């Protein structure tokens, strides 16, 4: 009879130790998963949580201190395209280099959503495209843009996009890029770009 109690006690201790070991392993796996999260992963998770809700925005502070409410539309390797919400009238879109984000200012539910595990899937083509490719597309379309850099804002049309910089023909907002309208050309390194807005 005493042996039965002893074996029950040993079995209970082994069960408890095994549960504690499994719990410690699960905590360590979660720490490792969180340690591998990138800013892009967290922004993507916030955007997926918002779904198709047109009012769902992510508040972002960019280098230089500007704060914008963005509705992410697509993510590339090192950039995000988004609807730009704010006091300016009309639907505007923008391209934000992820390196230009100084801080994300999420709400409580967005923080929780950003930490959830996202099921692994084969990366879509857009997720492998870098910033130069997207800027070349804007250049090809000859869309007038407002370019925000670390040093200020300027309006114009992208003339050329090279490997690590672009040429912007500067002209007044609301005018078409014509030689007589161009006030000058700015060659801007990509790493100085904070925001490219258009539309």
């Amino acid at each position: 009879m005493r042996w039965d109690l002893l074996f029950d006690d040993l079995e209970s201790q082994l069960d408890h130790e095994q549960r504690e070991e499994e719990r410690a392993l699960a905590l360590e796996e979660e720490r490792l998963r969180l340690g591998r999260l990138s800013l892009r992963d967290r922004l993507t998770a916030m955007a997926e949580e918002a779904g198709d809700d047109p009012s769902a925005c992510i508040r972002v502070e960019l280098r230089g201190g500007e704060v914008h409410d963005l509705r992410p539309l697509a993510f590339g390797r090192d950039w995000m395209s988004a609807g730009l919400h704010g006091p300016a009238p009309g639907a505007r879109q923008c391209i934000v280099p992820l390196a230009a984000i100084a801080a994300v200012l999420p709400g409580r539910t967005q923080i929780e959503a950003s930490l959830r595990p996202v099921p692994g899937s084969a990366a879509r083509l857009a997720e492998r495209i870098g910033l130069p490719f997207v800027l070349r597309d804007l250049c090809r379309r000859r869309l007038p843009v407002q370019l925000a850099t670390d040093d200020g804002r300027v309006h114009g049309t992208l003339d050329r996009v090279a490997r690590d910089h672009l040429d912007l023909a500067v002209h007044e907002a609301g005018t078409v890029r014509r030689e007589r309208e161009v006030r000058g050309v700015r060659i801007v390194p990509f790493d100085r770009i904070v925001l490219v807005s258009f539309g």
Side-chain angles (χ1 to χ4, degrees):
M1 189 108 163
R2 290 173 61 187
W3 287 110
D4 289 342
L5 291 175
L6 178 64
F7 287 131
D8 287 346
D9 187 44
L10 286 173
E11 187 177 342
S12 173
Q13 285 179 20
L14 284 172
D15 274 351
H16 177 72
E17 287 175 14
Q18 186 175 3
R19 281 194 305 274
E20 283 300 310
E21 189 176 312
E22 288 171 356
R23 190 174 80 68
L25 185 60
L27 286 172
E28 183 61 24
E29 285 176 0
E30 180 64 4
R31 273 193 289 272
L32 288 172
R33 185 188 70 78
L34 291 175
R36 288 189 297 267
L37 279 179
S38 67
L39 177 62
R40 182 185 178 285
D41 295 335
R42 294 189 73 182
L43 288 167
T44 302
M46 284 185 221
E48 285 178 6
E49 178 73 15
D52 294 329
D53 181 0
S55 65
C57 292
I58 298 173
R59 182 162 280 217
V60 173
E61 180 181 337
L62 301 176
R63 285 190 323 247
E66 283 188 17
V67 176
H68 294 281
D69 290 325
L70 304 176
R71 184 174 187 295
L73 302 171
F75 289 89
R77 183 178 65 234
D78 54 355
W79 57 273
M80 153 175 89
S81 73
L84 190 58
H85 293 261
R92 295 188 53 80
Q93 290 186 3
C94 65
I95 304 294
V96 181
L98 295 179
I101 297 175
V104 178
L105 311 170
R108 182 177 304 272
T109 58
Q110 289 176 319
I111 291 173
E112 292 168 7
S114 76
L115 295 173
R116 289 191 191 119
V118 178
S121 64
R124 294 185 302 237
L125 178 61
E127 294 170 352
R128 296 190 307 255
I129 293 173
L131 181 63
F133 184 89
V134 175
L135 294 175
R136 283 186 194 105
D137 185 57
L138 289 176
C139 179
R140 183 181 54 78
R141 294 174 192 225
R142 308 302 292 163
L143 290 174
V145 299
Q146 184 170 24
L147 185 69
T149 68
D150 292 322
D151 305 310
R153 291 181 172 271
V154 65
H155 183 49
T157 302
L158 299 176
D159 274 351
R160 280 171 288 288
V161 178
R163 182 171 145 192
D164 61 354
H165 65 278
L166 58 81
D167 292 7
L168 181 76
V170 179
H171 56 81
E172 289 295 321
T175 63
V176 178
R177 192 235 186 271
R178 292 199 175 92
E179 205 54 46
R180 68 177 178 270
E181 301 290 340
V182 174
R183 294 191 319 240
V185 174
R186 293 178 69 104
I187 298 175
V188 182
F190 291 158
D191 62 359
R192 303 294 291 175
I193 296 172
V194 176
L195 181 83
V196 181
S197 57
F198 54 92

